[in-house]
Structure formats: structure tokens, C-alpha cells
Amino acid sequence: MTRQSPRPSWLLEARAELMMSNRVAATLLVDRVLSSGEDRDVQLQAWLLKGEMALQESQTDLARLALGKARALLHKEPALQAGVSSLAGKVALADGKPVDAALNFDKQAVFLQRAARWADMAYALQQAGEAYGQAFQADAATLRFYRAARSYYAQGMLVPALQAVELAVQSSSKTTDEVLAADTGRLLEEIKRQVGVAQTAVGAE
């Protein structure tokens, strides 16, 4: 009997099972991909998902193992590089290393930019800002929140833009960069105006 090749759909099914809190089914699907030993990129993504699942269960050692396996399969594909950097950042946070986490989220944002995944890039910047904040690096945190807000705003994503710029404003109260603090304040007012315009337009319909 010929063994069926792994398909990316198995990972989609695994993510769907996770969303429904069916962790056993999700684990079986991920392990099914890993045991196939055929498609390199699909296996890499499976290791990334296994690492994410391990972190959700506070299994840091397993997450580190999954990260190492994913890195061993990695090649110069920006979306995959971004996934590895994301997992590395989350593992670093779990290990209590927020600076290492922030640097990995910064790398993730760069890879996502290369992959033209703008919304994901903005979120990676926001994660970097949160990690820098944990490390008490207010200037770096404010800049990442500001860049995330600008990116969301440019994409017309007003709600996440407002959330990100509000984080930037909170962080800017601790920053030594007066120019960045002023720019952040102006961006907040601009986004709030646009949110008001959008709400007015919805109310008029």
C-alpha cells in the first residue's frame, strides 16, 4: 500500500482542531505530517505548529526541540523564516529573555515585509514592542508600537492602529526621545479623527 504524501491541508485541519480546543486531534494531525518524512516545507511548518502547541501547554523543552527541528529544515523563504523567528521569540519570552524575544520579533517583521504580509508585519512589530517593554527599553518599545500603528493605519485597519498607537503613547511617557513622543501624540490624534469619521459614516447608513 502506497503511503499518502503529506499535504498542507493536514496542518490547516490541525489549526482548525486547535481553534475548537481539540488538542488530541490536532496533535495527531501534526504528528502525521512529521512521521511522513517527505515534504520539507510542510514538515517545517508542522514543527512550528508543534512548538506553538507546546508553549500553550508550558512545555518549553518540547518547544525548544521543535524550534531546533524547524531551524534544521529552514531555507531562504521569507514566510518560513518569519515563522521560525516568531517561535524563537515566543520561546525566548517563555525563558524570561525579553530582549532576545524582541530581536526575534524584529527579524520576523523584516521577513514578513519581504513576503509582503503587511498586517502580519505590523503585528510582529507590536509583539517586539511588548517584549522591549518587558525589558524596560522604552525607546525601542515606543518605536515598534509607533511603526506598527503607522502600518495598520496605512492599511486602513483603524482598530488595531488605534490599539497600537495607544500602546505607543503609554510607552512614550517613559521614553527619552522627545521627537518620537511628539510624533506618537500626533499620530494618535490623526487616527482618532479617522475613527470618528468612520463611526459617523456607519451611523449615517
Side-chain angles (χ1 to χ4, degrees):
M1 181 176 178
T2 302
R3 184 173 57 187
Q4 186 179 13
S5 296
R7 297 168 296 163
S9 63
W10 296 350
L11 296 181
L12 293 175
E13 292 171 23
R15 292 187 177 96
E17 294 291 354
L18 278 178
M19 290 179 67
M20 295 184 289
S21 299
N22 296 331
R23 298 191 63 83
V24 173
T27 300
L28 288 172
L29 284 163
V30 170
D31 289 343
R32 182 182 178 189
V33 175
L34 294 175
S35 65
S36 67
E38 294 183 22
D39 189 294
R40 185 183 183 94
D41 286 359
V42 175
Q43 285 212 5
L44 191 159
Q45 293 174 66
W47 280 116
L48 291 177
L49 184 54
K50 194 172 186 71
E52 295 273 358
M53 293 166 59
L55 287 174
Q56 291 172 10
E57 294 292 317
S58 300
Q59 297 175 341
T60 312
D61 289 342
L62 178 56
R64 281 195 214 94
L65 172 65
L67 176 60
K69 295 289 188 179
R71 279 176 167 156
L73 294 167
L74 187 59
H75 58 91
K76 291 186 178 180
E77 165 55 46
L80 297 177
Q81 290 173 306
V84 170
S85 295
S86 174
L87 181 57
K90 292 171 184 175
V91 169
L93 280 179
D95 286 337
K97 300 176 180 178
V99 174
D100 288 349
L103 292 172
N104 276 292
F105 293 139
D106 277 340
K107 290 179 183 177
Q108 181 191 6
V110 171
F111 292 134
L112 289 169
Q113 183 180 36
R114 292 175 185 170
R117 288 171 50 180
W118 311 116
D120 291 337
M121 179 196 75
Y123 183 66
L125 287 169
Q126 188 169 327
Q127 287 184 298
E130 291 168 356
Y132 279 120
Q134 289 185 33
F136 305 103
Q137 295 191 16
D139 288 2
T142 303
L143 179 59
R144 270 57 173 194
F145 288 136
Y146 175 79
R147 289 176 58 198
R150 283 186 60 87
S151 179
Y152 282 132
Y153 185 43
Q155 297 172 66
M157 301 173 67
L158 293 181
V159 172
L162 183 59
Q163 292 170 341
V165 78
E166 286 176 342
L167 289 171
V169 169
Q170 292 173 18
S171 180
S172 69
S173 65
K174 305 168 189 173
T175 187
T176 59
D177 190 333
E178 295 180 1
V179 173
L180 178 58
D183 288 345
T184 298
R186 284 191 290 270
L187 182 60
L188 173 62
E189 294 306 314
E190 185 177 347
I191 292 173
K192 286 172 68 175
R193 279 196 300 272
Q194 290 302 316
V195 169
V197 169
Q199 290 174 337
T200 300
V202 170
E205 291 179 356

